[in-house]
Every structure is written in C-alpha cells, then in structure tokens.
Amino acid sequence: MARRRMIDPEFWLDEDLAKLSPHARLLYIGLWNLCDDNYATLPNRPDWVRAQIFPYEVSVVIPQLLEELSKNGKIILFKANNQEFWYIKNFFKYQSVDRPSK
C-alpha cells in the first residue's frame, strides 16, 4: 500500500539528482511511496511501478528510468528468495518514518 511521504527541501538541491532526467527524479520520489518503511525496498515489478506512479503516461518507460536511477547509485537491485527487489539507497536521508508499517 502506498504511503504518504514528505519531500525534504534538501532534495531539490542534491547535485547528483540534478543530473537525472525529470522523469527519473519524479520516479525516485514516487518509489518512496511504494517502498517498505523498515527496509526501503520494493519488488522489481516495472509494470506495477508504472501503474502506481505514472498511470496516465503511456510513453514513460519504467525499466529505462530504473536503470538510470541504478546507474546513478540511487537504487540498488538485489535478489532474495529468488525474487528481485530494489533498495532505495538514501531513503532514510530524505524520510523519517515515525510509524513504520508492519
């Protein structure tokens, strides 16, 4: 289930993020809504991610944007229990979770 998140004003000044395409930056913020509160992870399911973050934009190619975020070190792909997941590297830099989900 998607969660409400706050965008820290420092986010906009991050020089590494400024190097990303506008859709990649927006996707990065959107991933915060989808990730697990405790571990900053989410499943590698590009179609599901697109449906959640860009439901009305058919031209947005999520695998490309995920690759862009990965190449720039913002997210890290890993495997657990034969499934792929993304870890959002600086999630806790920009988010403080007071009441994590179970």
Side-chain angles (χ1 to χ4, degrees):
M1 171 190 280
R3 304 270 300 187
R4 293 181 187 189
R5 303 287 186 208
M6 299 292 291
I7 300 175
D8 188 310
E10 290 181 31
F11 173 86
W12 307 109
L13 300 175
D14 186 318
E15 292 179 3
D16 290 332
L17 286 170
K19 297 173 187 173
L20 299 173
S21 68
H23 275 122
R25 281 179 276 183
L26 189 56
L27 176 62
Y28 187 54
I29 295 169
L31 294 178
W32 301 345
N33 292 114
L34 303 179
C35 78
D36 176 271
D37 292 336
N38 298 296
Y39 304 105
T41 60
L42 67 148
N44 183 20
R45 295 175 44 208
D47 290 337
W48 174 75
V49 169
R50 191 180 82 63
Q52 300 295 315
I53 300 173
F54 296 104
Y56 306 111
E57 296 193 42
V58 294
S59 64
V60 174
V61 182
I62 296 299
Q64 270 183 309
L65 296 175
L66 290 168
E67 183 66 24
E68 183 179 350
L69 290 171
S70 179
K71 283 183 179 178
N72 284 277
K74 298 301 174 188
I75 59 175
I76 299 167
L77 186 64
F78 71 96
K79 202 170 193 177
N81 299 324
N82 294 322
Q83 294 181 335
E84 289 185 339
F85 295 89
W86 290 104
Y87 169 70
I88 302 174
K89 189 175 173 185
N90 288 322
F91 176 76
F92 295 105
K93 174 181 176 183
Y94 294 115
Q95 299 295 306
S96 73
V97 179
D98 295 328
R99 293 177 300 202
S101 58
K102 295 179 181 182

